[in-house]
């Protein structure tokens, strides 16, 4: 018997598994957020001597690697299991982090950031699937929402460590190496934790390991009736698809599968085109462009991280109270209005002494809507709309496009900011935000209150 599950009631054990698995999400957040503060020091002539293009390449490399990683991670999660996949990824996180912190030039840094991105992308697929499959239908929304909360907590941690190290060691030319190296600690914690957890019961049933699945369900469900009902539901569903052991491209000939894939891709792109990662990756540069000093920008950036975490906490509450569709619509409306505010204020009052504070206030408000409404719903929907046989693979294909969008934003943003200025750059996000709202209204269904198996059956009927 797993030593973590001894004398722990099912609800606490599920939470414990969630906390362990989301060390992968903490790494996701820290590794994407740390560049926000490390980049100004890294870019100095006596360090990596970065141009705007190289800044975009270093920042964007993690997104490009993650696009590959989510495809590989999805397939490996199906083949090896959710738990074992996270175990291997913790090792990759550790090695890539050390490589980044020791990089002697921009090109080696780009290479290791790409490798780090592979780990980030694979974990971004595996963690929500693992959480969705280990949780009950009543707690699934909050469990998957926990991932997004931990991601933004990792980014906040990066912002705080960046600011502290910049204040304490700002005169040390290679301070950015210390900022990056901190991520090795949660990588070790993820490895140690995953040695002690159980596999997803849904994956075990899919592999025919019924007795093991029953054992895990007994640990994670409160009554025998729940265990038997859920096991029977899983077996019934699998028996209907016994001739479809693995997802293949030929499955795309099926109309309802194409529809789900289109929906997953659309939702993934929607999350990125709000412009969230222009703030999470380049927040300090946005604030310095509006008038803050570098040190003040790093401190102000902590406000962005704090509101992201608070928004994530509120999102955990909200996702269990209202539907996915209205929640996402509200979030997109809020983020688009904030981007419009930055566009107008920076255009009509570019030299105002109050401009930095207006921009900081609007980025904080933007993140409140993004992290409480947009991001939780996007990750949750991508983890619950695909059928069991292709859940990891389908999620990986959808999140692939999220990371391509991430790369596109993170690579082009410093180039656009340098060439177009603050106002016109954010006007682009206003247009894309309006497109995202239209997509949600036309194509997004409601999934709240239905089990993963019920959703699969309902999509087939539709």
């Amino acid at each position: 018997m797993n030593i973590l599950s001894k004398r722990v009631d099912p609800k606490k054990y599920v939470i414990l598994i969630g906390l362990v698995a989301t060390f992968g999400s903490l790494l996701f957040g820290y590794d994407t957020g740390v560049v926000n503060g490390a980049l100004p020091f890294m870019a100095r002539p006596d360090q990596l001597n970065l141009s705007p293009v190289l800044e975009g390449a270093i920042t964007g490399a993690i997104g490009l690697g993650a696009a590959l990683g989510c495809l590989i991670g999805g397939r490996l999660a199906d083949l090896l299991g959710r738990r074992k996949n996270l175990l291997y990824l913790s090792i990759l996180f550790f090695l890539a982090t050390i490589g980044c912190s020791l990089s002697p030039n921009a090109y080696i840094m780009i290479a290791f950031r790409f490798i780090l991105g592979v780990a980030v992308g694979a974990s971004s697929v595996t963690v929500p699937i693992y959480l969705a499959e280990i949780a009950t239908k009543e707690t699934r929304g909050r469990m998957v929402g926990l991932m997004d909360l931990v991601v933004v907590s990792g980014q906040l941690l990066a912002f705080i460590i960046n600011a502290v190290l910049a204040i304490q060691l700002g005169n040390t030319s290679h301070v950015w190496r210390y900022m990056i190296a901190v991520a090795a600690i949660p990588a070790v914690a993820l490895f140690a934790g995953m040695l002690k957890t159980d596999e997803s019961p849904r994956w075990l049933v899919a592999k025919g390991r019924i007795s093991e699945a029953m054992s895990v369900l007994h640990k994670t469900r409160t009554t025998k009736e729940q265990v038997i009902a859920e096991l029977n539901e899983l077996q019934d569903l699998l028996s209907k698809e016994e001739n479809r052991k693995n997802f293949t491209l030929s499955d795309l000939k099926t109309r309802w599968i194409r529809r789900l894939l289109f929906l997953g891709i659309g939702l993934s792109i929607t999350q990125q085109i709000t412009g969230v990662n222009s703030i999470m990756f380049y927040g300090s540069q946005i604030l310095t462009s509006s008038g803050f000093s570098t040190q003040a920008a790093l401190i102000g950036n902590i406000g962005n991280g704090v509101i992201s975490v608070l928004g994530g906490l509120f999102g955990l509450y909200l996702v269990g109270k209202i539907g996915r569709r209205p929640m996402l619509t509200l979030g997109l409306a809020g983020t688009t209005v904030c981007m419009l505010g930055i566009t107008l204020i920076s255009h009509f009052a570019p030299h105002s002494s109050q401009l930095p504070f207006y921009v900081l206030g609007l980025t904080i408000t933007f993140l409140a809507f993004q992290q409480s409404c947009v991001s939780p719903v996007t990750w949750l929907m991508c983890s619950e709309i695909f059928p069991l046989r292709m859940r990891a693979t389908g999620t990986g294909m959808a999140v692939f496009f999220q990371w391509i969008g991430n790369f596109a934003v993170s690579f082009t943003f410093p180039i656009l900011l340098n060439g177009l200025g603050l106002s016109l750059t954010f006007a682009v996000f206003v247009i894309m935000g309006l497109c995202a709202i239209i997509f949600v209204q036309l194509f997004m269904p409601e999934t709240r209150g239905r089990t993963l198996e019920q959703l699969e059956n309902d999509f087939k009927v539709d």
Side-chain angles (χ1 to χ4, degrees):
M1 179 180 289
N2 191 300
I3 63 171
L4 276 181
S5 62
K6 290 181 179 179
R7 293 182 295 278
V8 177
D9 70 56
K11 291 181 180 179
K12 290 182 180 179
Y13 184 50
V14 169
I15 293 172
L16 184 59
I17 291 175
L19 292 175
V20 170
T22 51
F23 270 111
S25 303
L26 185 73
L27 286 159
F28 174 175
Y30 190 93
D31 288 325
T32 54
V34 70
V35 72
N36 197 320
L39 203 58
F41 298 97
M42 195 188 302
R44 291 176 176 177
D46 64 333
Q47 292 301 299
L48 301 188
N49 193 26
L50 304 179
S51 66
V53 172
L54 284 175
E55 287 183 10
I58 285 175
T59 306
I62 201 167
L64 198 60
L68 174 63
C70 68
L71 293 180
I72 297 173
R75 294 299 285 178
L76 289 177
D78 277 343
L79 293 172
L80 302 176
R82 292 38 166 151
R83 172 187 165 276
K84 188 174 290 187
N85 201 32
L86 287 173
L87 189 66
Y88 292 150
L89 287 174
S90 68
I91 299 172
L92 188 60
F93 269 119
F94 181 83
L95 296 176
T97 295
I98 299 302
C100 287
S101 66
L102 297 177
S103 294
N105 58 57
Y107 301 101
I108 292 177
M109 170 64 78
I110 290 169
F112 275 110
R113 287 275 293 176
F114 179 85
I115 296 169
L116 188 61
V118 173
V120 168
S123 69
S124 74
V125 173
T126 308
V127 172
I129 292 171
Y130 186 41
L131 295 178
E133 293 182 347
I134 214 78
T136 64
K137 68 178 181 180
E138 292 81 13
T139 62
R140 188 176 71 238
R142 289 190 174 92
M143 280 289 287
V144 178
L146 177 67
M147 172 196 160
D148 189 63
L149 175 62
V150 176
V151 169
V152 295
S153 297
Q155 290 171 331
L156 172 60
L157 180 63
F159 297 161
I160 293 172
I161 289 175
N162 286 345
V164 170
L165 290 177
I167 293 169
Q168 297 296 321
L169 302 173
N171 295 325
T172 304
S173 59
H174 52 268
V175 63
W176 59 272
R177 298 186 187 275
Y178 302 131
M179 295 175 177
I180 293 172
V182 170
I185 298 172
V188 173
L190 176 62
F191 179 83
M194 293 313 297
L195 288 174
K196 305 295 185 179
T197 57
D198 285 299
E199 183 55 79
S200 156
R202 285 178 168 83
W203 183 83
L204 290 170
V205 171
K207 296 299 179 181
R209 294 157 63 174
I210 306 302
S211 61
E212 293 176 64
M214 177 74 82
S215 176
V216 176
L217 286 171
H218 274 297
K219 297 175 186 178
T220 57
R221 302 299 184 258
T222 55
T223 67
K224 290 183 178 180
E225 289 75 15
Q226 279 184 305
V227 172
I228 294 170
E230 190 162 339
L231 188 63
N232 287 338
E233 189 174 28
L234 279 169
Q235 288 180 301
D236 288 344
L237 183 63
L238 289 170
S239 67
K240 295 175 183 177
E241 298 188 353
E242 59 184 2
N243 294 323
R244 301 179 66 183
K245 298 297 183 183
N246 295 297
F247 173 77
T248 64
L249 290 178
S250 63
D251 290 316
L252 293 177
K253 296 177 182 178
T254 306
R255 182 176 178 274
W256 67 273
I257 287 181
R258 289 199 307 271
R259 176 191 167 201
L260 291 182
L261 193 58
F262 168 76
L263 177 62
I265 291 171
L267 287 168
S268 293
I269 293 174
T270 291
Q271 186 189 28
Q272 293 301 311
I273 62 176
T274 62
V276 58
N277 284 319
S278 66
I279 296 172
M280 301 312 290
F281 294 171
Y282 298 104
S284 58
Q285 287 172 277
I286 292 170
L287 295 178
T288 53
S289 295
S290 65
F292 277 124
S293 67
T294 299
Q295 192 174 84
L298 287 171
I299 295 171
N301 218 34
I302 295 175
N304 286 334
V306 170
I307 203 65
S308 293
V309 172
L310 293 177
L313 283 169
F314 184 62
L316 279 179
Y317 167 80
L318 203 60
V319 78
K321 299 295 182 181
I322 65 174
R324 320 307 196 213
R325 182 184 167 98
M327 188 172 169
L328 183 55
T329 302
L330 173 65
L332 290 171
T335 56
T336 304
V337 169
C338 290
M339 287 301 193
L340 179 61
I342 295 175
T343 300
L344 295 176
I345 290 173
S346 58
H347 177 74
F348 290 107
H351 305 298
S352 170
S353 61
Q354 298 301 308
L355 178 61
F357 300 98
Y358 288 139
V359 171
L360 178 59
L362 285 167
T363 57
I364 286 175
T365 306
F366 171 96
L367 290 170
F369 281 103
Q370 176 79 27
Q371 306 298 4
S372 65
C373 296
V374 178
S375 294
V377 172
T378 302
W379 286 112
L380 178 56
M381 288 285 291
C382 284
S383 70
E384 67 184 3
I385 61 173
F386 293 106
L388 177 60
R389 295 283 184 199
M390 65 170 290
R391 186 160 295 143
T393 303
T395 302
M397 294 173 72
V399 178
F400 170 83
F401 285 90
Q402 181 179 144
W403 286 111
I404 291 296
N406 180 298
F407 168 74
V409 171
S410 57
F411 177 70
T412 60
F413 185 80
I415 301 170
L416 292 174
L417 189 62
N418 184 62
L420 299 179
L422 200 62
S423 181
L424 288 178
T425 299
F426 279 86
V428 174
F429 292 122
V430 174
I431 295 170
M432 292 193 288
L434 292 173
C435 293
I437 293 172
I438 293 171
F439 171 81
V440 169
Q441 295 305 306
L442 290 179
F443 300 108
M444 180 176 167
E446 184 56 67
T447 60
R448 180 172 175 252
R450 291 184 281 177
T451 67
L452 299 179
E453 289 68 43
Q454 286 171 342
L455 286 175
E456 179 175 343
N457 290 326
D458 290 345
F459 281 127
K460 286 180 180 179
V461 172
D462 292 342

